Amino acid sequence: MTPPQARFRLPRSVRFGLIVAFLAALGTGAIVWYQVQEEYRTSVEDLDRRAGVLLHRNTPAARAALLMPDQQAGAAMGDRLEGHSRLLGFALLRPDGRLVAAGQAVTDLEPTLAPIVMRLGPVQSEVREVVRNGAGTTHILASTIAGADGQPIGSLAILHDALYLENRLTRGMVRGLVLALIVAGVLFVLTSGLAWAVFERPMHALAEWMRKLRFGGAPELPPRGLPVSRLQDESVHLAASFRAARSTERESAQTATRSDKTWTRERLRAHALAALGNDTLVVVSNREPYMHQLQDGKPRLVRPASGLVTGLDPVLKACGGLWVAHGAGDADRMMADAKGCVSVPPDDPRYTLRRVWITKEEDEGYYYGFSNEGLWPLCHLTHERPLFRAADWEQYVKANQRFADAVLDEVGKESAVVMVQDYQLALVPAIIKQRRPDLKVGLFWHIPWPNPEAFRICPFRVEVLHGMLGADLVGFHLQQHCNNFLDTVDRMVEARLDWDQFSAELRGHTTLVRPFPISVQVWSEKHAAQGSDLAAQCRELRHRFAIGDVPIGVGVDRIDYTKGIAERFRAIERFFERNPSHRGRFSFVQLGAPSRTHIPRYRDLVTELEALADAINWKFKADNAGWKPIHFLVAHHDGPTVYAFLTMASVCIVSSLHDGMNLVAKEFVAAQGEPDASGATGDGVLILSEFAGAARDLSDAIIVNPYDTEEFAEAIRRAVEMPPEQRRERMAKMYQQVTENNIYRWAADFLTALTQAKASAESGTVVVPPAGRAAAAP
């Protein structure tokens, strides 16, 4: 759905000036209108007087003429009937309104004159009127002429051309309008300029000073000329308190960094303060961490299903800063300010989310088209033909420019460390660096990188690579992906490669390439339910979905052809075929979040998986009344629901056909391995695809080839029947690996490498990260 267009808001000083100008124009116009109308009324009265004098002079002659026959009456009046200048002439009429004699200019106005003369009578012996018609504007004075006996014998009418009065009225109105506009313009310039100089400019300067204060680069004193002297005094005190608090925080942060061994939110914050210095941390991604959707006419907060969000939201909560993302929710604009900014999380704001507005046309081409029908299948190599269209590429370029513009707008002239996320924004690093080469820019690619032969399919491969090589640091999950990327650069771009330092130099700019296996945070930091609350939630979920009390396996995925859900279902079917004793004693629950449903392949996939699950359930229906081998729950499940299923599952299956990392595997380990209130840990078993990046980190999982259904089914049997001691031993090892190499350590490693990469590029040397991290995966 295309988001509604944002309302344009004028500066307050301009709005104030417009209000004053409007009121001044209204007042000036009213005064001018009154004056012009008064002048017009005076002119009409003057014309009445002149006509009255002429009437008085010519009444005796008219009386004598009306006593004669018509032809003699006209001759008796002679030249007196003719006019001159603005006097059109005279008209002599009988009591019945019949024209006896008239001046030459008056004869043509007989149709206009007759209705007025007919109004004369005993009650009204004289009529004065200004008549407007197609012939012009005429002033008419008509009076009854009485005989010696006092009875009316006719009437005399005097006509003047009054068009000059209308012209004078029009000119007065035009002059008045011009005067009102001049007064309004002068007052607008004066009031808006005064409001800007006295109020708005000082307040903008104060806001900019506070912004620099927050980032650590503000002058000691606030700007001068604030409209209220007390505001300047309080700003000085606020700055002193803020600097003292920051100094204390840095000291405690340094202490925490030296003393802590495990990476925690506090330790990451301490490390970030040291690594970032006065720089702002900026994360840029297509998917936003918090989305507002309308539900029953009211905005509702939604956490999108995304491994990227799962990984990075804790980092921003710990470090603070800015997250720039596509505002895709239909209520996102309602909850953001004029620039698209909103503080998140809403209940405990830790950082700012800047939403970028993308049109429907851009979204279809940039996101659904080039990104997810082109780059996504190309990089995952899962036998889905990538589609590349020139129109999609144009929208991809346009959308990347929008994201880069938003970052540069928010950063302003300050220094920042920018972490660009994933394949939707491959061009953003180069766009940012072209305008702000001093910024530290890193790109983390969350999906696999294919071999050069596969990437050659992309018709815009050179442009994509140039965009990525604008970054100071490009990160992947695995060393294998780093190798593939540099191989691709070597074959398709005129860049100088340094395989010893794992870097590429393009047009004088050096980009380091490093592996950074991403991870998760522990569930206790997410305030997940524990103890009796968790047990009650698990019982409610079992009852709601009619799962019963049998042990369950669980899968948690976006519905995507790369996740191997169909292969998973077929392996479960084969497991029950080979092990009938487990029928009715074990069920598998698949939580499937619909994704990218605008793309036909994804819509069809939901239908295919539902049909496959129904067929398998029907096949084993007669074995146990009320039991289902597969519960396929298609919905966007919230964090507490996912956590409840992960904790009550005895087996978790991750069967990706190709995946950069897959954080569900690590989320399961974090949920199972974390001790509860009594100190007990879970003993779930993880079945993990060898094609997921997590398989390199979680070697104590049961590693499978999801394409081998027989091996896969046997792995499920091993997991279900594994002795408790072995299950706990495996889980403890994996939990230690996940907690030691958690999301905070990932962020710390990436920030360190990025800041060092920028510093080394400026000094002409390359700083290589510790070998243990650089070679984290073969």
Side-chain angles (χ1 to χ4, degrees):
M1 187 174 100
T2 304
Q5 295 299 312
R7 290 187 305 166
F8 173 72
R9 292 180 65 86
L10 292 169
R12 281 187 170 85
S13 57
V14 175
R15 281 182 277 162
F16 176 70
L18 286 174
I19 293 172
V20 173
F22 173 75
L23 294 176
L26 198 63
T28 304
I31 294 172
V32 169
W33 181 86
Y34 177 77
Q35 289 178 338
V36 170
Q37 292 297 325
E38 282 297 302
E39 290 177 5
Y40 180 77
R41 184 180 60 81
T42 302
S43 298
V44 171
E45 290 177 351
D46 181 60
L47 205 53
D48 286 341
R49 286 192 296 270
R50 280 188 283 167
V53 171
L54 291 173
L55 176 67
H56 178 72
R57 288 178 181 176
N58 288 278
T59 296
R63 182 180 294 112
L66 287 170
L67 294 173
M68 302 176 186
D70 289 355
Q71 291 182 352
Q72 295 178 11
M77 291 297 293
D79 293 339
R80 294 184 183 184
L81 296 175
E82 299 299 332
H84 60 85
S85 186
R86 290 172 182 164
L87 175 63
L88 296 175
F90 296 80
L92 200 61
L93 302 99
R94 296 296 182 185
D96 60 359
R98 181 167 49 85
L99 183 65
V100 175
Q104 185 177 356
V106 176
T107 305
D108 297 334
L109 297 174
E110 182 180 0
T112 302
L113 182 60
I116 296 175
V117 171
M118 294 304 296
R119 288 158 51 186
L120 295 172
V123 177
Q124 189 173 9
S125 63
E126 192 173 279
V127 176
R128 290 180 173 88
E129 188 166 336
V130 177
V131 179
R132 300 173 180 86
N133 53 30
T137 303
T138 307
H139 177 274
I140 300 175
L141 170 60
S143 177
T144 300
I145 304 297
D149 57 358
Q151 295 299 315
I153 59 173
S155 58
L156 178 64
I158 304 168
L159 291 79
H160 283 87
D161 182 4
L163 183 60
Y164 76 97
L165 295 180
E166 298 293 325
N167 292 337
R168 185 182 297 172
L169 178 66
T170 302
R171 288 194 299 270
M173 287 294 189
V174 171
R175 286 196 300 269
L177 177 62
V178 172
L179 178 62
L181 291 176
I182 292 173
V183 170
V186 171
L187 284 177
F188 170 73
V189 172
L190 289 177
T191 54
S192 60
L194 192 63
W196 169 257
V198 174
F199 178 76
E200 195 160 5
R201 184 176 64 176
M203 296 307 292
H204 276 298
L206 180 62
E208 181 63 19
W209 177 78
M210 287 184 171
R211 181 175 177 275
K212 291 181 178 180
L213 177 67
R214 183 159 53 93
F215 296 149
E220 187 70 23
L221 296 175
R224 296 181 179 180
L226 295 179
V228 181
S229 58
R230 186 177 177 185
L231 183 61
Q232 185 147 359
D233 296 338
E234 292 298 328
S235 298
V236 172
H237 297 321
L238 176 64
S241 301
F242 186 84
R243 289 189 175 102
R246 172 169 282 181
S247 176
T248 303
E249 183 180 28
R250 288 187 183 278
E251 292 176 3
S252 61
Q254 292 172 359
T255 303
T257 303
R258 290 192 297 267
S259 61
D260 288 352
K261 294 183 179 180
T262 303
W263 281 94
T264 62
R265 176 184 296 180
E266 290 72 24
R267 187 180 180 191
L268 173 61
R269 179 170 177 78
H271 180 83
L273 287 172
L276 295 172
N278 293 327
D279 295 347
T280 306
L281 177 61
V282 181
V283 171
V284 195
S285 69
N286 172 75
R287 193 172 297 253
E288 57 183 332
Y290 298 90
M291 177 189 296
H292 287 95
Q293 296 278 21
L294 285 177
Q295 189 175 59
D296 299 327
K298 297 181 179 179
R300 175 176 173 266
L301 187 69
V302 176
R303 293 291 307 275
S306 167
L308 184 149
V309 170
T310 300
L312 288 173
D313 183 51
V315 176
L316 266 294
K317 286 180 180 177
C319 300
L322 173 72
W323 191 321
V324 178
H326 173 204
D330 54 15
D332 277 352
R333 284 185 185 268
M334 297 171 57
M335 306 305 293
D337 65 15
K339 291 185 66 177
C341 294
V342 60
S343 296
V344 292
D347 54 342
D348 182 22
R350 295 299 184 93
Y351 62 92
T352 299
L353 171 61
R354 163 72 183 268
R355 286 166 170 159
V356 177
W357 312 121
I358 301 293
T359 66
K360 180 181 178 181
E361 182 183 13
E362 289 170 347
D363 199 30
E364 289 178 350
Y366 140 76
Y367 180 72
Y368 292 105
F370 189 80
S371 295
N372 288 309
E373 289 186 297
L375 289 179
W376 177 269
L378 175 65
C379 290
H380 281 86
L381 300 175
T382 52
H383 318 297
E384 185 71 21
R385 182 175 178 269
L387 298 176
F388 292 102
R389 294 175 283 259
D392 292 344
W393 169 251
E394 291 176 4
Q395 299 300 339
Y396 186 84
V397 174
K398 188 183 299 183
N400 273 247
Q401 184 69 56
R402 282 187 187 271
F403 281 93
D405 289 344
V407 172
L408 294 168
D409 178 54
E410 288 296 322
V411 171
K413 297 180 180 179
E414 304 303 318
S415 182
V417 174
V418 184
M419 296 171 61
V420 183
Q421 304 298 313
D422 227 353
Y423 61 100
Q424 300 95 345
L425 304 175
L427 308 182
V428 170
I431 297 173
I432 292 177
K433 294 291 274 190
Q434 285 171 2
R435 291 166 59 182
R436 287 290 304 276
D438 59 305
L439 296 181
K440 306 175 184 71
V441 180
L443 169 66
F444 190 79
W445 196 266
H446 288 259
I447 62 176
W449 187 271
N451 57 62
E453 288 72 20
F455 195 74
R456 190 181 297 276
I457 294 173
C458 178
F460 309 100
R461 54 190 178 273
V462 174
E463 292 88 341
V464 171
L465 292 172
H466 278 194
M468 297 176 68
L469 291 174
D472 299 299
L473 173 69
V474 175
F476 296 93
H477 288 299
L478 305 179
Q479 184 66 45
Q480 174 189 347
H481 300 158
C482 297
N483 298 344
N484 287 347
F485 177 73
L486 282 184
D487 277 340
T488 305
V489 172
D490 190 25
R491 300 190 190 187
M492 300 181 191
V493 178
E494 293 294 330
R496 185 170 66 87
L497 269 61
D498 186 337
W499 287 97
D500 292 333
Q501 305 294 350
F502 248 76
S503 65
E505 182 180 334
L506 178 66
R507 298 171 182 170
H509 177 264
T510 300
T511 301
L512 297 185
V513 182
R514 297 286 185 269
F516 301 95
I518 199 169
S519 191
V520 297
Q521 67 179 147
V522 295
W523 281 96
S524 59
E525 293 185 354
K526 303 178 186 180
H527 308 293
Q530 299 292 336
S532 59
D533 293 338
L534 177 60
Q537 184 180 8
C538 292
R539 288 193 299 270
E540 191 276 330
L541 290 172
R542 284 181 176 273
H543 175 74
R544 187 198 311 174
F545 297 112
I547 298 173
D549 295 328
V550 298
I552 64 169
V554 70
V556 182
D557 302 272
R558 285 186 307 102
I559 298 179
D560 191 293
Y561 51 78
T562 65
K563 302 301 180 181
I565 301 175
E567 287 75 9
R568 191 179 309 171
F569 286 177
R570 294 189 187 99
I572 292 167
E573 177 186 22
R574 186 61 180 144
F575 162 71
F576 284 118
E577 288 176 348
R578 293 173 52 176
N579 302 278
S581 61
H582 287 291
R583 299 175 191 174
R585 299 172 59 188
F586 178 81
S587 289
F588 182 76
V589 179
Q590 175 64 49
L591 305 184
S595 175
R596 302 168 188 166
T597 51
H598 286 74
I599 300 176
R601 179 68 183 93
Y602 283 81
R603 290 198 302 271
D604 297 342
L605 181 61
V606 175
T607 304
E608 293 169 11
L609 293 175
E610 288 177 333
L612 179 58
D614 288 342
I616 295 171
N617 288 338
W618 179 261
K619 181 176 183 178
F620 298 104
K621 183 177 180 181
D623 293 340
N624 194 308
W627 169 76
K628 288 170 63 175
I630 297 176
H631 296 263
F632 187 26
L633 310 182
V634 180
H636 291 283
H637 302 280
D638 58 20
T641 299
V642 172
Y643 176 67
F645 273 109
L646 291 177
T647 55
M648 67 171 135
S650 59
V651 177
C652 177
I653 301 179
V654 175
S655 54
S656 305
L657 305 181
H658 202 187
D659 223 336
M661 176 55 65
N662 194 294
L663 294 180
V664 172
K666 296 187 176 183
E667 293 278 17
F668 174 70
V669 172
Q672 287 280 326
E674 192 169 11
D676 59 19
S678 64
T681 60
D683 59 356
V685 178
L686 175 63
I687 300 175
L688 181 56
S689 167
E690 65 178 289
F691 304 118
R696 275 72 168 175
D697 293 340
L698 304 176
S699 58
D700 283 282
I702 299 177
I703 308 299
V704 298
N705 177 355
Y707 293 100
D708 188 340
T709 304
E710 296 298 324
E711 176 196 352
F712 202 162
E714 176 59 21
I716 297 173
R717 185 201 64 78
R718 283 181 58 200
V720 172
E721 298 179 357
M722 185 177 293
E725 296 79 8
Q726 185 179 354
R727 297 163 70 99
R728 281 191 289 269
E729 181 181 353
R730 284 172 173 260
M731 181 54 66
K733 291 180 180 178
M734 290 190 291
Y735 183 71
Q736 182 179 2
Q737 203 282 338
V738 169
T739 53
E740 289 182 357
N741 299 282
N742 57 23
I743 185 61
Y744 301 122
R745 180 169 183 175
W746 173 86
D749 288 347
F750 193 88
L751 283 174
T752 300
L754 178 54
T755 53
Q756 290 182 350
K758 179 64 175 176
S760 63
E762 292 172 349
S763 64
T765 61
V766 175
V767 179
V768 182
R773 295 302 294 171

